[in-house]
Amino acid sequence: MSYEVELKFPVPDFRAFSQKLSDQAVLISPAQEEIDLYLAHPSRDFAKTDEALRLRRKGDANYVTYKGPKIDATSKTRREIELPLGPGAVSLASWTALLEAVGFRPAAEVRKSRRKATIPWQGREVEASLDEVDGVGTFVEFELQAEQSGVEAARNCIQSLAQSLGLTQGERRSYLELLLEGK
Amino acid sequence: MSYEVELKFPVPDFRAFSQKLSDQAVLISPAQEEIDLYLAHPSRDFAKTDEALRLRRKGDANYVTYKGPKIDATSKTRREIELPLGPGAVSLASWTALLEAVGFRPAAEVRKSRRKATIPWQGREVEASLDEVDGVGTFVEFELQAEQSGVEAARNCIQSLAQSLGLTQGERRSYLELLLEGK
């Protein structure tokens, strides 16, 4: 089983932060829009179980993602299963119809503009996502993949990178939670 | 919304029946094994609601299929949503894991050897499946696709074809139902 070890930080001055990365010769991708449809389970309260089922549209590509409960108190580490769906709007509509037929319901939509970067740190390649999230704010997410035995080391690596960039106050809540709490 | 209009008949003498079709210049494909994993819903009794959610492996290809309740008393007509999944055993295992994570449970497995044929009848092309189903028996399924307004006509067409082939006693129960009842 593979874990996504992820820590997220609010970035009040987004432009200055991006510039700081660029100054360190980190390449940042062009922005891509991601539209996430979160689904409510027919009989389980995902807010209480700390799970999520999500349909993501990224350009023409579609994905379904299951996120399990967070496995510790400080990071956003979860079990994650992400699978590609057929591309395009018709495929996404059919998947939505299938999931609705078995009782899932659209719960909320998160739209964001995301730029990706890979930051070398302590001999690892940390994936960074610079996110401008509609109705929520601006954030950076750091991510490493790890097996269960490597979760602690991956988290320490990310914490160290964040500190070096002047980020200290992590945000454990998801964009979905932040969006729903802000309403 | 598209409907699958389908009637199924037991075929006691499978070899003679196949020969009869061949004599009428109907081409029959080589046999292909299909393995269907039926899933139980986390909170809905699919046996009572007359629905099904199925993962199908056909050679290297994988599909997920939702089948809605039968819409009339004589045929097997249902709403059906079938979507392709990524190919191969790893993809199928990941899909099974994702569906289990949100509470679906493997309920039963139907294995069959299927040969396909297209039979011209009354100006339409009727899809026929000649099935040898492990632990159940030998059957032929006839199928036409129809919009809601064309369901009645499609059913009459299939009934007429079946009669011409000496088939009169339709079987409304699914292979899954027959398998579970036979145990």
Side-chain angles (χ1 to χ4, degrees):
Chain A
M1 188 148 74
S2 175
Y3 289 90
E4 161 196 324
V5 180
E6 190 180 298
L7 282 90
K8 177 167 65 193
F9 299 85
V11 179
D13 191 340
F14 204 62
R15 183 174 298 216
F17 182 78
S18 305
Q19 190 58 49
K20 191 190 289 186
L21 287 181
S22 297
D23 290 347
Q24 298 177 14
V26 171
L27 291 177
I28 303 174
S29 76
Q32 184 164 49
E33 193 186 30
E34 293 184 359
I35 304 173
D36 291 342
L37 179 66
Y38 287 88
L39 295 153
H41 190 276
S43 55
R44 202 183 280 181
D45 185 342
F46 275 162
K48 282 188 186 151
T49 60
D50 189 26
E51 297 172 288
L53 187 67
R54 179 184 77 191
L55 292 173
R56 169 169 290 182
R57 177 155 200 194
K58 186 156 72 171
D60 199 48
N62 300 311
Y63 304 86
V64 65
T65 308
Y66 166 78
K67 288 174 178 266
K70 297 185 193 79
I71 61 164
D72 65 47
T74 56
S75 78
K76 290 176 67 232
T77 309
R78 303 165 173 279
R79 180 180 180 207
E80 175 169 322
I81 306 171
E82 182 158 275
L83 294 163
L85 308 177
V90 171
S91 167
L92 187 62
S94 299
W95 274 100
T96 306
L98 186 146
L99 289 167
E100 290 195 29
V102 295
F104 289 86
R105 292 285 169 262
E109 198 174 79
V110 175
R111 288 172 177 261
K112 64 175 170 296
S113 167
R114 167 166 279 185
R115 290 181 297 153
K116 306 276 283 181
T118 304
I119 307 176
W121 191 253
Q122 297 181 340
R124 306 179 75 151
E125 305 274 293
V126 179
E127 292 296 317
S129 300
L130 284 71
D131 293 338
E132 300 177 76
V133 188
D134 284 14
V136 178
T138 50
F139 297 84
V140 62
E141 280 190 351
F142 299 114
E143 185 178 327
L144 284 170
Q145 298 293 326
E147 293 306 302
Q148 189 151 17
S149 61
V151 165
E152 182 71 21
R155 203 169 54 208
N156 290 342
C157 173
I158 292 178
Q159 285 282 19
S160 157
L161 168 62
Q163 212 158 12
S164 81
L165 291 166
L167 303 165
T168 51
Q169 191 64 42
E171 173 57 72
R172 286 190 80 222
R173 288 168 295 180
S174 67
Y175 294 140
L176 174 62
E177 287 166 325
L178 290 168
L179 183 71
L180 296 177
E181 286 172 19
K183 273 181 175 165
Chain B
M1 187 147 76
S2 176
Y3 289 90
E4 161 196 322
V5 181
E6 190 180 298
L7 283 89
K8 177 167 65 194
F9 300 84
V11 179
D13 191 339
F14 204 62
R15 182 174 298 215
F17 181 78
S18 305
Q19 190 58 51
K20 192 191 288 186
L21 287 182
S22 296
D23 291 347
Q24 296 176 18
V26 171
L27 291 177
I28 303 174
S29 75
Q32 184 164 48
E33 194 185 30
E34 293 184 358
I35 304 172
D36 292 342
L37 178 66
Y38 287 88
L39 295 154
H41 190 276
S43 55
R44 203 183 279 180
D45 185 343
F46 276 161
K48 282 188 184 149
T49 60
D50 190 25
E51 297 171 288
L53 187 68
R54 181 185 75 193
L55 292 173
R56 170 168 289 183
R57 176 154 202 193
K58 188 157 72 172
D60 198 48
N62 300 311
Y63 304 86
V64 64
T65 309
Y66 167 78
K67 288 175 178 265
K70 298 186 193 77
I71 62 164
D72 66 45
T74 56
S75 78
K76 290 176 66 234
T77 309
R78 301 166 175 279
R79 180 181 180 207
E80 177 169 321
I81 306 173
E82 182 158 275
L83 293 163
L85 308 177
V90 171
S91 167
L92 188 62
S94 299
W95 275 99
T96 306
L98 186 147
L99 289 167
E100 290 194 30
V102 296
F104 289 86
R105 291 285 168 264
E109 196 174 79
V110 175
R111 288 171 176 261
K112 63 176 171 293
S113 168
R114 168 166 279 185
R115 290 182 297 153
K116 306 276 286 181
T118 304
I119 307 175
W121 192 255
Q122 298 181 339
R124 306 179 73 150
E125 305 273 295
V126 179
E127 292 296 317
S129 300
L130 285 71
D131 292 339
E132 301 177 76
V133 188
D134 284 14
V136 179
T138 50
F139 296 84
V140 61
E141 279 190 350
F142 299 113
E143 183 178 328
L144 285 169
Q145 297 294 326
E147 293 305 301
Q148 190 151 17
S149 61
V151 165
E152 182 71 20
R155 202 168 55 208
N156 290 341
C157 173
I158 291 178
Q159 286 282 19
S160 156
L161 168 62
Q163 213 159 12
S164 82
L165 291 166
L167 304 165
T168 51
Q169 193 63 42
E171 173 57 71
R172 286 190 80 223
R173 288 168 296 179
S174 67
Y175 294 139
L176 174 62
E177 287 167 324
L178 291 167
L179 182 72
L180 296 177
E181 287 172 19
K183 274 182 176 163

